[in-house]
């Protein structure tokens, strides 16, 4: 499609793509796309390493949305993939820390299939659950946005939960397993500070979460710089494609109901 567009006088723009893998054929095709694109901007710096050629990297496009800050910071959302079970004692350590800090832990279902496991953990730990239920995408997004705008931290292994948390002014805490790859870490690398927790290690939960609370100012500054950079790319795309009207989204990205 890109070749057809270019050979017929049109433009080819690739923005926000994340490239992974070592398949030689796929990398060769990606290099062709890079050469023929008027604009090619990856979502993270690791993509350049994966492709093996220099390419421009920019923050995730979700950060183009307008922030939704509140002066109140009283929640600690927890949002996790249902296909990566977590030790309940690890979750209990996070919940106990939040309550010790007079914060309110809340399980947040941002992808519908995660709801059942979140409900189980919420019941077991005596924690509220922002469930999806029969709500529309719009209503669930509004509820999530409102919660994140009053959150101190967001503890998650889902990239878009971390990004929506950042838009609300919360510090992202990436839950990962040892040195395993983390989309959150890759997307935020060089963009803003973030905290990490090892899902199999409860020993440093308190220390890591305490340290994370001090990062909010730097996270907000990084978010502001990221949006400014994305607005520059937006203008470049508009010029490259001849689009006269291309405005940033008025709200954050959808919460991705799947299942």
């Amino acid at each position: 499609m890109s070749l057809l567009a270019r050979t017929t006088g049109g433009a080819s723009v690739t923005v926000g793509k994340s490239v992974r893998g070592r398949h030689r054929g796929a990398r060769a095709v990606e290099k062709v796309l890079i050469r023929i694109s008027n604009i090619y901007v990856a979502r993270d710096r690791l993509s350049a390493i994966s492709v093996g050629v220099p390419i421009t990297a920019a923050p995730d496009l979700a950060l183009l949305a307008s922030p939704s800050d509140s002066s109140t910071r009283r929640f600690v959302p927890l949002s996790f993939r249902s296909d990566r079970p977590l030790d309940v004692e690890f979750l209990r350590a996070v919940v106990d820390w939040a309550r010790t800090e007079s914060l309110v832990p809340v399980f947040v279902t941002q992808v519908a299939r995660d709801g059942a496991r979140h409900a189980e953990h919420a019941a077991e730990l005596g924690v509220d659950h922002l469930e999806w239920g029969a709500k529309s995408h719009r209503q669930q997004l509004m509820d999530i946005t409102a919660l994140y705008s009053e959150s101190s931290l967001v503890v998650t292994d889902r990239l878009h939960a971390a990004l929506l948390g950042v838009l609300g002014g919360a510090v992202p805490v990436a839950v990962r397993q040892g040195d395993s790859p983390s989309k959150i870490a890759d997307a935020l690398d060089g963009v803003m500070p973030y905290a990490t927790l090892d899902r199999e290690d409860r020993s440093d939960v308190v220390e890591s979460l305490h340290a994370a609370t001090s990062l909010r100012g730097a996270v907000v500054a990084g978010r502001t710089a990221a949006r400014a950079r994305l607005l520059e790319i937006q203008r470049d795309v508009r010029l490259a494609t001849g689009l006269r009207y291309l405005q940033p989204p008025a709200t954050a990205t959808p919460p991705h109901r799947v299942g």
Side-chain angles (χ1 to χ4, degrees):
M1 291 178 63
S2 293
L3 281 170
L4 179 62
R6 293 307 309 275
T7 56
T8 55
S12 172
V13 173
T14 301
V15 178
K17 187 174 185 180
S18 182
V19 182
R20 297 292 184 272
R22 299 181 178 277
H23 191 282
R24 293 178 63 183
R27 289 168 62 188
V29 171
E30 197 67 27
K31 289 177 182 178
V32 172
L33 177 61
I34 292 169
R35 286 199 301 270
I36 66 174
S37 293
N38 299 77
I39 296 175
Y40 187 103
V41 180
R43 187 183 72 186
D44 51 61
R45 299 192 293 192
L46 187 57
S47 294
I49 299 174
S50 299
V51 177
V53 296
I55 53 177
T56 300
D60 191 286
L61 291 176
L63 297 177
L64 185 60
S66 299
S68 56
D69 280 324
S70 168
S71 59
T72 304
R73 295 287 157 187
R74 58 195 181 99
F75 295 110
V76 176
L78 302 95
S79 188
F80 303 104
R81 298 178 59 98
S82 57
D83 58 347
R84 299 175 184 172
L86 282 162
D87 178 13
V88 70
E89 294 307 316
F90 169 83
L91 294 174
R92 193 184 306 279
V94 176
V95 167
D96 289 347
W97 172 84
R99 288 171 171 162
T100 299
E101 297 295 315
S102 299
L103 298 169
V104 180
V106 183
F107 281 97
V108 176
T109 293
Q110 193 166 305
V111 177
R113 64 171 174 265
D114 298 338
R117 190 173 296 277
H118 282 157
E120 292 176 6
H121 289 319
E124 187 169 11
L125 296 171
V127 173
D128 288 339
H129 175 205
L130 179 53
E131 59 183 339
W132 198 312
K135 288 185 288 186
S136 66
H137 282 75
R138 180 180 295 276
Q139 185 59 56
Q140 183 68 350
L141 176 58
M142 290 174 61
D143 292 346
I144 290 173
T145 300
L147 179 72
Y148 285 167
S149 71
E150 296 187 25
S151 296
S152 176
L153 312 173
V154 55
V155 183
T156 185
D157 59 1
R158 277 202 177 278
L159 173 60
H160 281 85
L163 291 171
L164 285 178
V166 167
L167 288 171
V171 176
V173 180
V175 177
R176 58 193 304 175
Q177 184 170 358
D179 294 328
S180 297
S182 166
K183 287 184 178 180
I184 298 173
D186 292 345
L188 298 183
D189 174 40
V191 177
M192 67 183 64
Y194 59 92
T196 59
L197 290 178
D198 189 331
R199 63 196 302 126
E200 295 184 346
D201 183 5
R202 301 194 304 273
S203 64
D204 67 343
V205 166
V206 171
E207 182 178 350
S208 296
L209 293 178
H210 269 303
T213 59
S214 66
L215 298 176
R216 183 169 181 272
V219 168
V220 171
R223 182 189 67 189
T224 301
R227 190 168 192 268
R229 173 69 178 118
L230 291 169
L231 285 171
E232 291 177 355
I233 293 171
Q234 182 189 69
R235 287 191 290 270
D236 292 342
V237 171
R238 182 179 58 209
L239 292 172
T241 59
L243 292 176
R244 295 181 60 191
Y245 303 104
L246 186 62
Q247 299 298 324
T251 58
T253 51
H256 305 291
R257 179 169 187 143
V258 179

